[in-house]
């Protein structure tokens, strides 16, 4: 249900809607220690996303309004400095302020209940502007497709381009009741979205090398009550899939694909805050992609489908070249699909 | 228009109907004519039934009294059949609602138990309700629809067919409701007269109190009749666009937007910002909000037009007086079943706002705006306030559907000039209201001259006075125009 907060929260009329649906399915799974006072907990303990924390603080409307004014003026005055490396514009930042308040507050009559204290909101917004901390880490979630996924430092924030992998998988016929794998699952985004559209007997195994990713993905799987459909395993690429050799109906992955030399020039939100384990694809960026292509020969069953995200254009062509020359006997119908920006982003095909 | 005139003369003659159909009429009118004729026959039969129904209990005993009400409601059930809708109900001595109004009985306070005063007030309400419903047009239209429904090949085009039958059902329902109300009044008058003849005080009092009840209900119905348009029950999008004049106007546009957000919340609607473009310094360039709830379109359509603000600008260090403009458009959200425009997937161009450069893992942005262009019409919709591209696309798609529906409705209304013209057309319209904050304080509607001296309450969403006065004015003027043609 969409609902607006009081106009006072919208000095520039940026009142917004709040999504409630998946929150009700929130279960504090065993993996997660969700507590509101966990700023100082060890790095591997996931702090629960802002919008899921209890409403244990309150603030007057005027205090919130002055936070909003302050945050907006900070956004407007610093936006010029942020955009040089592809950072956010002022209108993006102003929208983020609405979303921050949307996640952090709930209106109860004339008072506002908060999921963190006001001081913390100021601190968070300063981090956003001064440290370029990604907005999604600040609120602890990313809205992706129709999902709201918990994310946290140490886990890649799922990208809108990647939404398309799920559409590509959805178009494949006859594999809806088989076993699928999402390698390097990160927050679990692709695995969860695919699991939700598989048939009754369809399942997904999702793997990641990173312990943090495994933890976050498990949390998200639990929030969507998919424990019976998505299994998370920790390990490097195909290593945790020994038991599934030749059994996979589908294999999808968005592996790290940025060439090592590009890492230091990335937009601050990415380069300074997202894990390089999730981004760095080796010298050409293709190290992991090639491993995945090779490994899919032995793990996909005949007729099985694969889809990989790449750095785009040249890299996609390189992968296709490689597959058609080196492993032409193993695959058929190899195709390149573009993303919404027209960049040749995905390589798909079938195991012979 | 001449067509209407002809029909209305026929209709007014139809009460003491001539026994011959005038020659030289177009077949369509002939059919219409015969249907009135037929309709009246039926209702005559039922009023005979009514009379004969009374004769056996001419001298009521205490036990029989309650059966008067039974008889009355029983006859009403049967006489308000679909065919009776087109007839003019009468009392047993031949008095119609119009006759009652023309008697000009003084209308006293509700607490004065004078039945004539109640009857006069109810009759006046019925006239007003009919006026607001555009009764004559409604009859012509429903007649056309019944004819269309009788065509054997109707269901060859199921979409058209269901639209026709839905509209027909809606009009018939409204007409039946009013006719039933009319009949109820006339039957109560009959009862009161009878009770007086019989010196039955108890029955008289009961009937008068029933009439008082009707009088109260009539006021509600008057209000309801303001929102009788086909799309009035829909939810809607409200769009606000800043006029020329930079920051000053953009700030005004955001004030207007907040006014509607507050108004909608007061009325208990759900509000969501769909599309919004901020000004560089303050305010908004434009915004689209979705106002979700019954009749939000019916009310909000009264706000279409240009809104003008006069004040000392907070952005002008010289503290001069400024005039700013903001334009408001309102679009109904038709349900899936009623959408009249079929969008072909292949006609769409979907544009996503992307960061320039490599995209993918290189970029982190919360910007996930989606713009959808309908290539054949050039109409587009943008949404960037959802937090994922997936959802921005879904939201933009529904805005686009509504815009195309509106275009299609305008086209159909043009083709079919008999169709009740909707109050809003697709354009942003004329200047409708002025808000003065300086040198004096006032908000004035230029269409109705409705005026309020407290701009803050209006800007805080207290708009109902403006909306209701506009809706009643608009309908009254429309009807006047018709009857003068
Ligand atoms: C670009 S991220 C993709 C995350 C997620 N699938 C998504 O699309 O949002 C790449 C992921 O691969 C994981 N990864 C890196 N090296 C890996 C390895 N050797 N084995 C398994 N996963 C690995 C990273 O931890 C990271 O989660």
């Amino acid at each position: 249900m969409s609902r607006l907060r009081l106009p006072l929260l919208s000095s520039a009329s940026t009142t917004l809607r709040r999504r409630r649906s998946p929150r009700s399915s929130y279960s504090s799974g065993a993996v997660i220690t969700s507590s509101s006072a966990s700023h100082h907990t060890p790095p591997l303990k996931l702090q629960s996303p802002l919008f899921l924390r209890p409403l244990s603080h309150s603030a007057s409307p005027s205090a919130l309004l002055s936070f909003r004014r302050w945050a907006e003026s900070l956004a407007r005055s610093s936006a010029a400095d942020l955009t040089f490396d592809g950072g956010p514009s002022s209108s993006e930042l102003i929208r983020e302020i609405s979303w921050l308040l949307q996640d952090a507050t709930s209106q109860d009559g004339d008072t506002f209940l908060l999921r963190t204290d006001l001081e913390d909101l100021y601190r968070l917004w300063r981090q956003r502007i001064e440290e370029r901390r990604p907005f999604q880490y600040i609120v602890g979630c990313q809205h992706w497709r129709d999902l709201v996924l918990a994310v946290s430092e140490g886990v890649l924030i799922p990208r809108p381009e990647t939404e398309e992998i799920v559409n590509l998988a959805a178009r494949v016929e006859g594999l809806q009741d088989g076993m699928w794998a999402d390698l390097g699952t990160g927050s679990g985004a692709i695995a969860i979205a695919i699991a939700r559209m598989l048939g009754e007997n369809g399942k997904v195994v999702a793997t990641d090398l990173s312990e943090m990713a495994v933890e976050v993905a498990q949390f998200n799987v639990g929030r969507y009550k998919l424990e019976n459909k998505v299994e998370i395993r920790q390990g490097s690429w195909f290593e945790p899939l020994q038991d599934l050799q030749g059994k996979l109906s589908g294999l999808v992955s968005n592996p790290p694909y940025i060439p090592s030399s590009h890492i230091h020039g990335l937009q601050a939100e990415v380069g300074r805050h997202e894990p390089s384990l999730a981004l760095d694809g080796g010298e050409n960026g293709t190290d992991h992609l090639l491993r995945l292509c090779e490994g899919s020969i032995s793990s996909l069953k005949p007729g099985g489908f694969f889809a990989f995200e790449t750095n785009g254009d040249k890299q996609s062509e390189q992968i296709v070249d490689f597959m058609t020359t080196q492993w032409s006997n193993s695959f058929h119908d190899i195709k390149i699909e573009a993303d919404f920006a027209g960049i040749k982003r995905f390589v798909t095909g079938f195991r012979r | 228009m001449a067509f209407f005139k002809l029909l209305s003369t026929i209709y007014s003659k139809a009460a003491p109907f001539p026994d011959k159909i005038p020659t030289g009429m177009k077949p369509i009118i002939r059919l219409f004519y015969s249907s009135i004729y037929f309709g009246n026959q039926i209702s005559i039969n039922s009023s005979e039934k009514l009379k004969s129904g009374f004769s056996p209990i001419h001298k009521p005993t205490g036990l029989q009294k309650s059966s008067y009400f039974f008889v009355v409601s029983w006859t009403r059930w049967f006489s308000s059949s679909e065919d009776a809708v087109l007839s003019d109900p009468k009392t047993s001595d031949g008095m119609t609602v119009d006759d009652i109004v023309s008697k000009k009985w003084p209308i006293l306070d509700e607490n004065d138990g004078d039945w004539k005063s109640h009857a006069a007030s109810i009759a006046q309400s019925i006239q007003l309700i009919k006026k607001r419903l555009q009764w004559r047009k409604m009859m012509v239209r429903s007649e056309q629809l019944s004819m269309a429904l009788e065509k054997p090949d109707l269901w060859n085009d199921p979409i058209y067919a269901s639209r026709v039958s839905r509209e027909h059902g809606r009009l018939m329902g409204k007409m039946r409701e009013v006719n039933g109300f009319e009949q109820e009044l006339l039957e109560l008058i009959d009862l009161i007269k009878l009770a007086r003849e019989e010196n039955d005080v108890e029955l008289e009092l009961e009937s008068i109190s029933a009439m008082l009840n009707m009088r109260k209900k009539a006021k509600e119905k008057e209000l309801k009749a303001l929102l009788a348009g086909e799309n009035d029950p829909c939810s809607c999008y409200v769009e606000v666009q800043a006029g020329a004049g930079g920051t000053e106007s953009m700030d005004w546009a955001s004030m207007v937007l907040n006014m509607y957000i507050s108004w909608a919340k007061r009325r208990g609607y759900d509000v969501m910002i769909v599309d919004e473009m901020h000004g560089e310094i303050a305010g908004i360039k434009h915004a689209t909000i979705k106002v979700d709830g019954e009749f939000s379109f019916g009310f909000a359509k009264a706000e279409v037009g240009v809104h003008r603000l006069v004040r000392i600008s907070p952005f002008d260090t010289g503290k001069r007086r400024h005039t700013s403009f903001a334009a408001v458009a309102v679009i109904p959200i038709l349900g899936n079943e009623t959408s009249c425009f079929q969008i072909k997937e292949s006609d769409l161009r979907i544009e996503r706002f992307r960061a320039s450069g490599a995209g993918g893992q290189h970029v982190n942005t919360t910007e996930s705006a989606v713009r959808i262009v309908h290539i054949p019409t050039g109409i587009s919709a943008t949404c960037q306030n959802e937090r994922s591209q997936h959802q921005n696309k879904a939201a933009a798609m529904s805005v686009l559907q509504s815009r195309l529906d509106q275009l299609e409705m305008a086209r159909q209304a043009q083709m079919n000039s008999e169709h009740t013209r909707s109050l809003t057309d697709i354009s942003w319209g004329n200047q409708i209201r002025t808000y003065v904050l300086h040198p004096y304080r006032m908000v004035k509607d230029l269409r109705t001259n409705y005026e309020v001296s407290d701009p803050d309450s209006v800007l805080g969403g207290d708009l109902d006075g403006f909306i209701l006065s506009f809706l009643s004015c608009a309908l009254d003027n429309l009807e006047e125009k018709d009857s003068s043609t």
Side-chain angles (χ1 to χ4, degrees), chain A residues 156 158 162 184-186 190 208-210 235-237 254-256 277-278 288, chain B residues 361:
Chain A
L156 186 99
T162 311
T185 194
I190 306 174
D208 208 292
L209 185 60
S210 145
S236 183
W237 303 129
N254 171 23
L277 181 67
H288 301 291
Chain B
Q361 290 166 19

Side-chain angles (χ1 to χ4, degrees), chain A residues 156 159 255-260 263 266 269-282 285 288, chain B residues 360-363:
Chain A
L156 186 99
R159 306 291 199 254
Y257 54 59
I258 299 180
S260 303
I263 297 286
L266 290 171
E269 277 82 2
V270 182
R272 271 199 245 159
H273 295 272
E274 294 196 286
S276 59
L277 181 67
L279 303 168
D280 193 337
H288 301 291
Chain B
Q361 290 166 19
H362 290 262
V363 177

Side-chain angles (χ1 to χ4, degrees), chain A residues 231-271:
Chain A
E231 188 188 335
I232 312 276
R233 298 181 184 179
Q234 194 177 353
S236 183
W237 303 129
F238 294 92
E239 180 232 351
L241 299 184
Q242 303 293 341
D243 56 325
L244 294 171
Q245 291 277 323
K247 292 185 183 153
L248 292 181
S249 295
L251 173 63
V252 292
S253 181
N254 171 23
Y257 54 59
I258 299 180
S260 303
S261 59
H262 294 188
I263 297 286
H264 76 274
L266 290 171
Q267 173 198 348
E269 277 82 2
V270 182

Side-chain angles (χ1 to χ4, degrees), chain A residues 53-198:
Chain A
R53 287 184 228 162
L55 286 161
S56 43
H57 308 263
S58 67
S60 70
S62 64
L64 270 176
L65 184 58
S66 50
F67 166 74
R68 188 175 189 119
R69 292 231 169 97
W70 168 81
E72 281 186 6
S73 77
L74 189 60
R76 287 187 205 268
S77 62
S78 7
D81 305 334
L82 308 189
T83 40
F84 77 97
D85 69 350
S89 68
S90 66
S91 63
E92 279 168 68
L93 289 169
I94 286 167
R95 210 151 47 221
E96 288 176 12
I97 297 168
S98 301
W99 289 339
L100 173 61
L101 288 170
Q102 176 188 340
D103 279 8
T105 66
S106 169
Q107 191 184 331
D108 180 20
D110 279 342
T111 58
F112 282 86
L113 299 175
L114 270 63
R115 297 178 197 277
T116 187
D117 58 29
L118 203 54
E119 219 174 290
D120 194 36
L121 286 183
Y122 279 94
R123 195 179 58 86
L124 289 171
W125 193 247
R126 233 177 262 118
Q127 290 177 345
R128 175 74 188 105
I129 302 292
E130 288 161 12
E131 297 168 24
R132 304 283 301 275
R133 191 179 173 204
F135 175 73
Q136 297 92 336
Y137 288 157
I138 289 197
V139 290
C141 74
Q142 163 79 320
H143 292 234
W144 189 83
R145 291 185 67 92
D146 52 347
L147 306 171
V148 183
L149 299 161
V151 292
S152 144
E153 262 88 359
V155 176
L156 186 99
I157 298 160
R159 306 291 199 254
E161 283 89 346
T162 311
E163 292 184 354
E164 185 63 21
I165 287 199
V166 182
N167 298 339
L168 295 171
R171 260 187 252 154
V172 181
E173 277 164 28
L175 300 173
Q176 267 62 22
D177 279 304
M179 179 63 87
W180 286 63
D182 170 23
L183 302 190
T185 194
S187 61
I190 306 174
I192 290 170
I194 288 185
R196 277 154 55 97
M197 51 167 236
L198 284 183

Side-chain angles (χ1 to χ4, degrees), chain A residues 1-7 10 12-17 19 76 92 94-96 99 102-103 134-136 143-146 157 159 161 163 254-258 266-267 270 278-279 311 340-341 343 345, chain B residues 254 257-258 261-262 265 268-273 276 278-284 287 289 292 350 352-355 357-369 384-391:
Chain A
M1 248 318 37
S2 55
R3 204 165 265 290
L4 261 160
R5 14 271 347 275
L6 266 186
S10 68
S13 74
T14 39
T15 44
L16 276 159
R17 76 138 130 181
R19 207 176 315 272
R76 287 187 205 268
E92 279 168 68
I94 286 167
R95 210 151 47 221
E96 288 176 12
W99 289 339
Q102 176 188 340
D103 279 8
F135 175 73
Q136 297 92 336
H143 292 234
W144 189 83
R145 291 185 67 92
D146 52 347
I157 298 160
R159 306 291 199 254
E161 283 89 346
E163 292 184 354
N254 171 23
Y257 54 59
I258 299 180
L266 290 171
Q267 173 198 348
V270 182
L279 303 168
N311 202 24
F340 54 75
I343 296 175
R345 179 70 62 190
Chain B
S254 82
L257 182 69
N258 277 332
I261 290 171
S262 312
K265 289 186 58 124
Y269 294 133
D270 270 333
V271 190
M272 182 187 128
I273 295 179
E276 183 177 36
H278 295 274
E280 285 80 14
I281 297 170
I284 51 161
I289 55 172
D292 220 337
I350 299 177
R352 294 170 229 231
F353 289 63
R354 55 170 194 114
Q361 290 166 19
H362 290 262
V363 177
N364 175 316
T365 172
T366 50
E367 172 70 85
S368 60
Q384 75 283 79
N385 263 41
E386 293 288 339
R387 284 162 77 166
S388 83
Q389 205 161 74
H390 194 77
Q391 296 195 311

